[in-house]
Amino acid sequence: MHGEYKVPGGKLVVVDLDVEGGALRNVRVAGDFFLEPDEAILAIDAALEGAPANTGTAGLAARIDAALPASTVMLGLSSEGVAVAVRRALAHATEWSDYDWQLIHEAPQSPALHMALDEVITAEVAAGRRPPTLRVWEWASPAVIIGSFQSLRNEVDPAGAKRHGITVVRRVSGGGAMFVEPGNTITYSLSVPDSLVSGLSFADSYAYLDDWVLGALGDMGIKAWYQPLNDIATDAGKIAGAAQKRVVGGEGAVLHHVTMSYDIDADKMLEVLRIGKEKLSDKGTKSAKKRVDPLRRQTGLAREAVIDRMIESFRTRHGLAQGKVTDEEMARAEELVRTKFGTEEWTARVP
C-alpha cells in the first residue's frame, strides 16, 4: 500500500507498507523533508512496524514520538504528518495527480444559481459523471451567503441588505456569513472525489485542499498560511474563508469552496452583517474592519490578473483542462433555484 501527504506548510511524506495479520509490516517512510539524526528515519519505521492496522492518527503519532531519539530535529515533517500518510495508505487514498482536472470559469451568475451549481457539480463528481472540478465564480450581483446552520435574523440586517440591494442566500455548507460584491470578491469551488481526502480528518482536509492556493498566493509574493479551522491568513489579517460539504451517493465527493477578499467596503459590510462581539473575540481584534486584509492592497494586481495567476498556478501543479457547465447540469441547477435556493423556505430555514 502507498500513501502520500504534504504536511501543511511543510514537505511531502510518502509511506509504503503491507498489512499482515491485521498489523503494519514492511513500513518504509520517505519524502523530501529534512530529518536529523540519520537514524531517526529508521526509528520511525520501527515504531510503525507491527502497529495494529486500525490504530488512529493520534495513536500512530504517539508511537513515533516515543521512539524518536532525544536529539531529533524535523523540518517540513511531523509525527502527525507521517501518521496521516499511513492512514491514507490504508484507506487507498488517491492523489491530485491521479485525475484529469477540469476548469469551469464562465459568465456571471446569480447568487442562488451559484449555490445550486455547487450542489449539482459536486453530485456529478460523486456519481463519476464529471472529473474533479475547479469552478471559479463570477458574481452577477452583491450578496450575503449565510452558512447552512446560521440564523438568518442573527446574521443579516434586512434593512441594510435592502438599502444596498443585496441578495441573501443560504449555502449547503456550514461556517459563517460571507459579504460579496462582484468586483471585490474572488470565489472558487473544488468538487473532488471523497477518495482524495481519505485518511484525513475533517480539519486536515481543509488544509490539504487549501494548499494549492497558498502556493498560488506565494507565487504572487504573499506569505499566507492556513489558520484552523477554515481561514487563510497573512500577518496583516484574514484574506479568505473556506467551507465544506460532504456529498453521499456513488463514490462520494467533497465540496470545498473559498471566498477571498480582493477588496472590501467595510462600512457597507457592517451595515449588512450583524457581527457580534463573541465572533470577534476569538480573532484577537476589536474591529471587524481589521479582520480582513484585501488582495488588492497586498498584490497591486487587478482582480482578473489575480484570478488568472491562481488558475495558472493550479494548472502548473496539477494540470487543468478547460470545461463548462453542461446543459443538463444547468437545467438541474435552475430547477434547484426554483425549488430550493431561491425560496424563502430554504433561506429562512433557520429563522
Side-chain angles (χ1 to χ4, degrees), residues 209-255:
L209 294 176
D210 280 338
D211 189 69
W212 76 272
V213 81
L214 298 183
L217 291 169
D219 294 342
M220 289 181 268
I222 300 174
K223 183 180 179 181
W225 58 86
Y226 163 74
Q227 183 169 295
L229 170 65
N230 62 332
D231 288 348
I232 296 173
T234 69
D235 285 330
K238 173 181 173 179
I239 58 174
Q244 283 188 11
K245 176 68 175 178
R246 305 296 169 110
V247 175
V248 298
E251 297 299 318
V254 177
L255 167 65

mmCIF file of all heavy atoms in Angstrom, residues 209-255:
data_model
loop_
_atom_site.group_PDB
_atom_site.id
_atom_site.type_symbol
_atom_site.label_atom_id
_atom_site.label_comp_id
_atom_site.label_asym_id
_atom_site.label_seq_id
_atom_site.Cartn_x
_atom_site.Cartn_y
_atom_site.Cartn_z
ATOM 1 N N LEU A 209 -6.799 20.742 1.024
ATOM 2 C CA LEU A 209 -7.430 21.292 -0.179
ATOM 3 C C LEU A 209 -7.116 22.767 -0.378
ATOM 4 O O LEU A 209 -7.326 23.307 -1.472
ATOM 5 C CB LEU A 209 -8.943 21.064 -0.125
ATOM 6 C CG LEU A 209 -9.373 19.597 -0.187
ATOM 7 C CD1 LEU A 209 -10.887 19.463 -0.028
ATOM 8 C CD2 LEU A 209 -8.923 18.940 -1.498
ATOM 9 N N ASP A 210 -6.618 23.435 0.665
ATOM 10 C CA ASP A 210 -6.209 24.837 0.534
ATOM 11 C C ASP A 210 -4.749 24.980 0.137
ATOM 12 O O ASP A 210 -4.303 26.086 -0.189
ATOM 13 C CB ASP A 210 -6.408 25.575 1.861
ATOM 14 C CG ASP A 210 -7.845 25.991 2.115
ATOM 15 O OD1 ASP A 210 -8.604 26.090 1.130
ATOM 16 O OD2 ASP A 210 -8.199 26.222 3.280
ATOM 17 N N ASP A 211 -3.992 23.897 0.150
ATOM 18 C CA ASP A 211 -2.545 24.015 -0.025
ATOM 19 C C ASP A 211 -2.165 24.638 -1.366
ATOM 20 O O ASP A 211 -1.234 25.446 -1.452
ATOM 21 C CB ASP A 211 -1.888 22.640 0.125
ATOM 22 C CG ASP A 211 -0.381 22.732 0.166
ATOM 23 O OD1 ASP A 211 0.147 23.258 1.161
ATOM 24 O OD2 ASP A 211 0.277 22.293 -0.805
ATOM 25 N N TRP A 212 -2.885 24.290 -2.434
ATOM 26 C CA TRP A 212 -2.532 24.821 -3.751
ATOM 27 C C TRP A 212 -2.679 26.335 -3.807
ATOM 28 O O TRP A 212 -1.856 27.025 -4.436
ATOM 29 C CB TRP A 212 -3.390 24.175 -4.854
ATOM 30 C CG TRP A 212 -4.795 24.711 -4.911
ATOM 31 C CD1 TRP A 212 -5.867 24.254 -4.204
ATOM 32 C CD2 TRP A 212 -5.257 25.821 -5.687
ATOM 33 N NE1 TRP A 212 -6.976 25.017 -4.499
ATOM 34 C CE2 TRP A 212 -6.639 25.979 -5.411
ATOM 35 C CE3 TRP A 212 -4.659 26.699 -6.591
ATOM 36 C CZ2 TRP A 212 -7.420 26.985 -6.000
ATOM 37 C CZ3 TRP A 212 -5.424 27.693 -7.182
ATOM 38 C CH2 TRP A 212 -6.786 27.822 -6.889
ATOM 39 N N VAL A 213 -3.709 26.867 -3.132
ATOM 40 C CA VAL A 213 -3.921 28.315 -3.208
ATOM 41 C C VAL A 213 -2.891 29.054 -2.357
ATOM 42 O O VAL A 213 -2.520 30.184 -2.672
ATOM 43 C CB VAL A 213 -5.371 28.691 -2.825
ATOM 44 C CG1 VAL A 213 -5.584 28.741 -1.319
ATOM 45 C CG2 VAL A 213 -5.745 30.042 -3.441
ATOM 46 N N LEU A 214 -2.396 28.421 -1.299
ATOM 47 C CA LEU A 214 -1.293 29.031 -0.549
ATOM 48 C C LEU A 214 -0.070 29.157 -1.454
ATOM 49 O O LEU A 214 0.644 30.165 -1.419
ATOM 50 C CB LEU A 214 -0.959 28.194 0.681
ATOM 51 C CG LEU A 214 -2.060 28.041 1.732
ATOM 52 C CD1 LEU A 214 -1.527 27.236 2.912
ATOM 53 C CD2 LEU A 214 -2.584 29.387 2.197
ATOM 54 N N GLY A 215 0.160 28.125 -2.270
ATOM 55 C CA GLY A 215 1.249 28.194 -3.231
ATOM 56 C C GLY A 215 1.031 29.279 -4.264
ATOM 57 O O GLY A 215 1.967 29.993 -4.642
ATOM 58 N N ALA A 216 -0.203 29.409 -4.733
ATOM 59 C CA ALA A 216 -0.516 30.446 -5.720
ATOM 60 C C ALA A 216 -0.297 31.836 -5.142
ATOM 61 O O ALA A 216 0.242 32.722 -5.813
ATOM 62 C CB ALA A 216 -1.964 30.286 -6.191
ATOM 63 N N LEU A 217 -0.719 32.039 -3.898
ATOM 64 C CA LEU A 217 -0.503 33.326 -3.243
ATOM 65 C C LEU A 217 0.989 33.587 -3.053
ATOM 66 O O LEU A 217 1.469 34.710 -3.242
ATOM 67 C CB LEU A 217 -1.223 33.363 -1.903
ATOM 68 C CG LEU A 217 -2.756 33.380 -1.982
ATOM 69 C CD1 LEU A 217 -3.369 33.145 -0.598
ATOM 70 C CD2 LEU A 217 -3.263 34.702 -2.562
ATOM 71 N N GLY A 218 1.732 32.535 -2.696
ATOM 72 C CA GLY A 218 3.175 32.681 -2.554
ATOM 73 C C GLY A 218 3.832 33.093 -3.857
ATOM 74 O O GLY A 218 4.769 33.903 -3.867
ATOM 75 N N ASP A 219 3.333 32.570 -4.971
ATOM 76 C CA ASP A 219 3.849 32.956 -6.283
ATOM 77 C C ASP A 219 3.630 34.437 -6.565
ATOM 78 O O ASP A 219 4.350 35.037 -7.367
ATOM 79 C CB ASP A 219 3.188 32.134 -7.386
ATOM 80 C CG ASP A 219 3.549 30.653 -7.324
ATOM 81 O OD1 ASP A 219 4.547 30.327 -6.655
ATOM 82 O OD2 ASP A 219 2.821 29.844 -7.923
ATOM 83 N N MET A 220 2.618 35.022 -5.908
ATOM 84 C CA MET A 220 2.331 36.456 -6.064
ATOM 85 C C MET A 220 2.983 37.297 -4.980
ATOM 86 O O MET A 220 2.700 38.482 -4.849
ATOM 87 C CB MET A 220 0.815 36.684 -6.074
ATOM 88 C CG MET A 220 0.126 36.201 -7.328
ATOM 89 S SD MET A 220 -1.669 36.524 -7.326
ATOM 90 C CE MET A 220 -2.283 34.990 -6.622
ATOM 91 N N GLY A 221 3.844 36.679 -4.196
ATOM 92 C CA GLY A 221 4.571 37.425 -3.180
ATOM 93 C C GLY A 221 3.851 37.577 -1.861
ATOM 94 O O GLY A 221 4.257 38.387 -1.020
ATOM 95 N N ILE A 222 2.788 36.780 -1.638
ATOM 96 C CA ILE A 222 2.028 36.879 -0.400
ATOM 97 C C ILE A 222 2.342 35.668 0.470
ATOM 98 O O ILE A 222 2.112 34.528 0.077
ATOM 99 C CB ILE A 222 0.510 36.919 -0.686
ATOM 100 C CG1 ILE A 222 0.163 38.124 -1.546
ATOM 101 C CG2 ILE A 222 -0.282 36.950 0.616
ATOM 102 C CD1 ILE A 222 -1.293 38.144 -1.986
ATOM 103 N N LYS A 223 2.863 35.927 1.652
ATOM 104 C CA LYS A 223 3.123 34.848 2.592
ATOM 105 C C LYS A 223 1.840 34.579 3.370
ATOM 106 O O LYS A 223 1.470 35.325 4.275
ATOM 107 C CB LYS A 223 4.259 35.224 3.548
ATOM 108 C CG LYS A 223 4.626 34.100 4.510
ATOM 109 C CD LYS A 223 5.752 34.506 5.448
ATOM 110 C CE LYS A 223 6.087 33.373 6.411
ATOM 111 N NZ LYS A 223 7.173 33.765 7.360
ATOM 112 N N ALA A 224 1.161 33.512 2.998
ATOM 113 C CA ALA A 224 -0.127 33.183 3.607
ATOM 114 C C ALA A 224 -0.062 31.791 4.202
ATOM 115 O O ALA A 224 0.778 30.969 3.821
ATOM 116 C CB ALA A 224 -1.245 33.256 2.567
ATOM 117 N N TRP A 225 -0.944 31.528 5.136
ATOM 118 C CA TRP A 225 -0.977 30.217 5.763
ATOM 119 C C TRP A 225 -2.414 29.834 6.095
ATOM 120 O O TRP A 225 -3.317 30.680 6.160
ATOM 121 C CB TRP A 225 -0.130 30.196 7.041
ATOM 122 C CG TRP A 225 -0.535 31.203 8.072
ATOM 123 C CD1 TRP A 225 -1.489 31.072 9.042
ATOM 124 C CD2 TRP A 225 -0.007 32.529 8.229
ATOM 125 N NE1 TRP A 225 -1.590 32.221 9.799
ATOM 126 C CE2 TRP A 225 -0.688 33.124 9.317
ATOM 127 C CE3 TRP A 225 0.981 33.260 7.549
ATOM 128 C CZ2 TRP A 225 -0.411 34.416 9.736
ATOM 129 C CZ3 TRP A 225 1.250 34.555 7.975
ATOM 130 C CH2 TRP A 225 0.565 35.114 9.061
ATOM 131 N N TYR A 226 -2.598 28.546 6.286
ATOM 132 C CA TYR A 226 -3.884 28.004 6.728
ATOM 133 C C TYR A 226 -4.009 28.221 8.224
ATOM 134 O O TYR A 226 -3.103 27.909 8.993
ATOM 135 C CB TYR A 226 -3.936 26.514 6.386
ATOM 136 C CG TYR A 226 -5.003 25.738 7.116
ATOM 137 C CD1 TYR A 226 -6.343 25.864 6.770
ATOM 138 C CD2 TYR A 226 -4.670 24.864 8.145
ATOM 139 C CE1 TYR A 226 -7.318 25.151 7.436
ATOM 140 C CE2 TYR A 226 -5.632 24.138 8.815
ATOM 141 C CZ TYR A 226 -6.957 24.293 8.448
ATOM 142 O OH TYR A 226 -7.921 23.583 9.113
ATOM 143 N N GLN A 227 -5.124 28.781 8.641
ATOM 144 C CA GLN A 227 -5.391 29.042 10.058
ATOM 145 C C GLN A 227 -6.639 28.266 10.451
ATOM 146 O O GLN A 227 -7.741 28.583 10.014
ATOM 147 C CB GLN A 227 -5.597 30.546 10.284
ATOM 148 C CG GLN A 227 -5.801 30.933 11.734
ATOM 149 C CD GLN A 227 -5.728 32.438 11.903
ATOM 150 O OE1 GLN A 227 -4.688 33.053 11.686
ATOM 151 N NE2 GLN A 227 -6.838 33.056 12.275
ATOM 152 N N PRO A 228 -6.483 27.203 11.249
ATOM 153 C CA PRO A 228 -7.632 26.343 11.591
ATOM 154 C C PRO A 228 -8.794 27.143 12.166
ATOM 155 O O PRO A 228 -8.566 28.129 12.865
ATOM 156 C CB PRO A 228 -7.051 25.388 12.634
ATOM 157 C CG PRO A 228 -5.574 25.411 12.392
ATOM 158 C CD PRO A 228 -5.253 26.800 11.947
ATOM 159 N N LEU A 229 -10.050 26.779 11.899
ATOM 160 C CA LEU A 229 -10.366 25.619 11.078
ATOM 161 C C LEU A 229 -10.442 25.953 9.598
ATOM 162 O O LEU A 229 -10.138 25.115 8.745
ATOM 163 C CB LEU A 229 -11.722 25.061 11.561
ATOM 164 C CG LEU A 229 -12.380 23.990 10.716
ATOM 165 C CD1 LEU A 229 -11.573 22.712 10.671
ATOM 166 C CD2 LEU A 229 -13.793 23.733 11.165
ATOM 167 N N ASN A 230 -10.842 27.161 9.257
ATOM 168 C CA ASN A 230 -11.203 27.360 7.854
ATOM 169 C C ASN A 230 -10.805 28.714 7.281
ATOM 170 O O ASN A 230 -11.448 29.215 6.368
ATOM 171 C CB ASN A 230 -12.713 27.168 7.672
ATOM 172 C CG ASN A 230 -13.532 28.180 8.465
ATOM 173 O OD1 ASN A 230 -13.104 28.668 9.497
ATOM 174 N ND2 ASN A 230 -14.722 28.494 7.971
ATOM 175 N N ASP A 231 -9.744 29.318 7.817
ATOM 176 C CA ASP A 231 -9.307 30.617 7.313
ATOM 177 C C ASP A 231 -7.966 30.512 6.600
ATOM 178 O O ASP A 231 -7.151 29.639 6.880
ATOM 179 C CB ASP A 231 -9.162 31.626 8.455
ATOM 180 C CG ASP A 231 -10.505 32.079 9.015
ATOM 181 O OD1 ASP A 231 -11.544 31.794 8.378
ATOM 182 O OD2 ASP A 231 -10.511 32.708 10.094
ATOM 183 N N ILE A 232 -7.729 31.450 5.671
ATOM 184 C CA ILE A 232 -6.420 31.691 5.091
ATOM 185 C C ILE A 232 -6.020 33.090 5.525
ATOM 186 O O ILE A 232 -6.784 34.046 5.352
ATOM 187 C CB ILE A 232 -6.449 31.578 3.557
ATOM 188 C CG1 ILE A 232 -6.810 30.139 3.151
ATOM 189 C CG2 ILE A 232 -5.107 31.969 2.958
ATOM 190 C CD1 ILE A 232 -7.021 29.965 1.652
ATOM 191 N N ALA A 233 -4.835 33.217 6.113
ATOM 192 C CA ALA A 233 -4.453 34.477 6.741
ATOM 193 C C ALA A 233 -3.038 34.876 6.365
ATOM 194 O O ALA A 233 -2.232 34.063 5.894
ATOM 195 C CB ALA A 233 -4.574 34.355 8.261
ATOM 196 N N THR A 234 -2.739 36.172 6.591
ATOM 197 C CA THR A 234 -1.390 36.712 6.491
ATOM 198 C C THR A 234 -1.117 37.492 7.772
ATOM 199 O O THR A 234 -1.985 37.601 8.643
ATOM 200 C CB THR A 234 -1.251 37.662 5.278
ATOM 201 O OG1 THR A 234 -2.024 38.848 5.525
ATOM 202 C CG2 THR A 234 -1.733 36.999 4.003
ATOM 203 N N ASP A 235 0.075 38.049 7.871
ATOM 204 C CA ASP A 235 0.414 38.850 9.045
ATOM 205 C C ASP A 235 -0.548 40.015 9.224
ATOM 206 O O ASP A 235 -0.783 40.475 10.342
ATOM 207 C CB ASP A 235 1.840 39.391 8.927
ATOM 208 C CG ASP A 235 2.883 38.313 9.177
ATOM 209 O OD1 ASP A 235 2.590 37.376 9.946
ATOM 210 O OD2 ASP A 235 3.977 38.407 8.590
ATOM 211 N N ALA A 236 -1.109 40.520 8.114
ATOM 212 C CA ALA A 236 -1.965 41.699 8.170
ATOM 213 C C ALA A 236 -3.427 41.375 8.432
ATOM 214 O O ALA A 236 -4.216 42.273 8.715
ATOM 215 C CB ALA A 236 -1.851 42.497 6.868
ATOM 216 N N GLY A 237 -3.811 40.104 8.336
ATOM 217 C CA GLY A 237 -5.210 39.762 8.598
ATOM 218 C C GLY A 237 -5.708 38.639 7.721
ATOM 219 O O GLY A 237 -4.990 38.097 6.878
ATOM 220 N N LYS A 238 -6.963 38.301 7.911
ATOM 221 C CA LYS A 238 -7.608 37.240 7.140
ATOM 222 C C LYS A 238 -7.836 37.692 5.707
ATOM 223 O O LYS A 238 -8.250 38.821 5.459
ATOM 224 C CB LYS A 238 -8.941 36.884 7.803
ATOM 225 C CG LYS A 238 -9.816 35.915 7.032
ATOM 226 C CD LYS A 238 -11.113 35.651 7.774
ATOM 227 C CE LYS A 238 -12.089 34.827 6.952
ATOM 228 N NZ LYS A 238 -13.339 34.547 7.680
ATOM 229 N N ILE A 239 -7.586 36.783 4.751
ATOM 230 C CA ILE A 239 -7.879 37.099 3.362
ATOM 231 C C ILE A 239 -8.900 36.162 2.746
ATOM 232 O O ILE A 239 -9.406 36.430 1.652
ATOM 233 C CB ILE A 239 -6.608 37.106 2.483
ATOM 234 C CG1 ILE A 239 -5.901 35.756 2.547
ATOM 235 C CG2 ILE A 239 -5.683 38.229 2.875
ATOM 236 C CD1 ILE A 239 -4.715 35.664 1.594
ATOM 237 N N ALA A 240 -9.230 35.060 3.426
ATOM 238 C CA ALA A 240 -10.179 34.111 2.837
ATOM 239 C C ALA A 240 -10.758 33.206 3.907
ATOM 240 O O ALA A 240 -10.150 32.987 4.959
ATOM 241 C CB ALA A 240 -9.493 33.261 1.758
ATOM 242 N N GLY A 241 -11.950 32.699 3.610
ATOM 243 C CA GLY A 241 -12.595 31.716 4.464
ATOM 244 C C GLY A 241 -13.118 30.572 3.617
ATOM 245 O O GLY A 241 -13.582 30.780 2.489
ATOM 246 N N ALA A 242 -13.010 29.354 4.140
ATOM 247 C CA ALA A 242 -13.426 28.160 3.411
ATOM 248 C C ALA A 242 -14.580 27.477 4.122
ATOM 249 O O ALA A 242 -14.813 27.678 5.313
ATOM 250 C CB ALA A 242 -12.254 27.188 3.277
ATOM 251 N N ALA A 243 -15.307 26.661 3.372
ATOM 252 C CA ALA A 243 -16.372 25.835 3.937
ATOM 253 C C ALA A 243 -16.450 24.553 3.123
ATOM 254 O O ALA A 243 -16.040 24.518 1.950
ATOM 255 C CB ALA A 243 -17.709 26.564 3.917
ATOM 256 N N GLN A 244 -16.986 23.498 3.744
ATOM 257 C CA GLN A 244 -17.073 22.200 3.082
ATOM 258 C C GLN A 244 -18.433 21.557 3.290
ATOM 259 O O GLN A 244 -19.127 21.841 4.257
ATOM 260 C CB GLN A 244 -16.012 21.236 3.626
ATOM 261 C CG GLN A 244 -14.621 21.457 3.113
ATOM 262 C CD GLN A 244 -13.678 20.343 3.554
ATOM 263 O OE1 GLN A 244 -14.102 19.312 4.076
ATOM 264 N NE2 GLN A 244 -12.390 20.544 3.326
ATOM 265 N N LYS A 245 -18.746 20.659 2.348
ATOM 266 C CA LYS A 245 -19.921 19.809 2.448
ATOM 267 C C LYS A 245 -19.571 18.449 1.875
ATOM 268 O O LYS A 245 -19.054 18.349 0.755
ATOM 269 C CB LYS A 245 -21.111 20.418 1.677
ATOM 270 C CG LYS A 245 -22.348 19.545 1.650
ATOM 271 C CD LYS A 245 -22.981 19.404 3.022
ATOM 272 C CE LYS A 245 -24.293 18.614 2.956
ATOM 273 N NZ LYS A 245 -24.892 18.440 4.289
ATOM 274 N N ARG A 246 -19.844 17.391 2.631
ATOM 275 C CA ARG A 246 -19.631 16.032 2.142
ATOM 276 C C ARG A 246 -20.907 15.557 1.453
ATOM 277 O O ARG A 246 -22.007 15.707 1.988
ATOM 278 C CB ARG A 246 -19.274 15.092 3.294
ATOM 279 C CG ARG A 246 -18.063 15.565 4.122
ATOM 280 C CD ARG A 246 -16.797 15.597 3.284
ATOM 281 N NE ARG A 246 -15.696 16.261 3.948
ATOM 282 C CZ ARG A 246 -14.614 15.638 4.411
ATOM 283 N NH1 ARG A 246 -14.524 14.330 4.314
ATOM 284 N NH2 ARG A 246 -13.622 16.327 4.949
ATOM 285 N N VAL A 247 -20.735 14.979 0.275
ATOM 286 C CA VAL A 247 -21.867 14.530 -0.535
ATOM 287 C C VAL A 247 -21.834 13.002 -0.615
ATOM 288 O O VAL A 247 -20.816 12.413 -1.006
ATOM 289 C CB VAL A 247 -21.812 15.139 -1.949
ATOM 290 C CG1 VAL A 247 -22.928 14.580 -2.821
ATOM 291 C CG2 VAL A 247 -21.902 16.659 -1.866
ATOM 292 N N VAL A 248 -22.924 12.361 -0.239
ATOM 293 C CA VAL A 248 -23.018 10.908 -0.328
ATOM 294 C C VAL A 248 -23.621 10.521 -1.669
ATOM 295 O O VAL A 248 -24.158 11.346 -2.397
ATOM 296 C CB VAL A 248 -23.863 10.338 0.829
ATOM 297 C CG1 VAL A 248 -23.208 10.648 2.163
ATOM 298 C CG2 VAL A 248 -25.284 10.894 0.788
ATOM 299 N N GLY A 249 -23.541 9.230 -1.980
ATOM 300 C CA GLY A 249 -24.040 8.757 -3.270
ATOM 301 C C GLY A 249 -22.879 8.467 -4.193
ATOM 302 O O GLY A 249 -21.899 9.216 -4.229
ATOM 303 N N GLY A 250 -22.972 7.372 -4.942
ATOM 304 C CA GLY A 250 -21.881 6.984 -5.817
ATOM 305 C C GLY A 250 -20.645 6.694 -4.995
ATOM 306 O O GLY A 250 -20.678 6.015 -3.975
ATOM 307 N N GLU A 251 -19.518 7.276 -5.408
ATOM 308 C CA GLU A 251 -18.262 7.108 -4.677
ATOM 309 C C GLU A 251 -18.091 8.166 -3.595
ATOM 310 O O GLU A 251 -17.115 8.145 -2.850
ATOM 311 C CB GLU A 251 -17.081 7.169 -5.662
ATOM 312 C CG GLU A 251 -17.074 6.058 -6.694
ATOM 313 C CD GLU A 251 -16.976 4.685 -6.059
ATOM 314 O OE1 GLU A 251 -16.192 4.524 -5.120
ATOM 315 O OE2 GLU A 251 -17.705 3.774 -6.520
ATOM 316 N N GLY A 252 -19.025 9.110 -3.518
ATOM 317 C CA GLY A 252 -18.906 10.189 -2.544
ATOM 318 C C GLY A 252 -18.024 11.304 -3.072
ATOM 319 O O GLY A 252 -17.160 11.097 -3.933
ATOM 320 N N ALA A 253 -18.247 12.507 -2.582
ATOM 321 C CA ALA A 253 -17.469 13.657 -3.026
ATOM 322 C C ALA A 253 -17.451 14.706 -1.929
ATOM 323 O O ALA A 253 -18.245 14.670 -0.985
ATOM 324 C CB ALA A 253 -18.042 14.246 -4.319
ATOM 325 N N VAL A 254 -16.533 15.649 -2.068
ATOM 326 C CA VAL A 254 -16.404 16.759 -1.129
ATOM 327 C C VAL A 254 -16.492 18.059 -1.907
ATOM 328 O O VAL A 254 -15.819 18.233 -2.930
ATOM 329 C CB VAL A 254 -15.062 16.700 -0.376
ATOM 330 C CG1 VAL A 254 -14.907 17.912 0.547
ATOM 331 C CG2 VAL A 254 -14.953 15.411 0.425
ATOM 332 N N LEU A 255 -17.342 18.951 -1.430
ATOM 333 C CA LEU A 255 -17.407 20.319 -1.941
ATOM 334 C C LEU A 255 -16.590 21.196 -0.995
ATOM 335 O O LEU A 255 -16.862 21.246 0.206
ATOM 336 C CB LEU A 255 -18.855 20.805 -1.986
ATOM 337 C CG LEU A 255 -19.054 22.311 -2.214
ATOM 338 C CD1 LEU A 255 -18.546 22.727 -3.587
ATOM 339 C CD2 LEU A 255 -20.533 22.687 -2.045
#
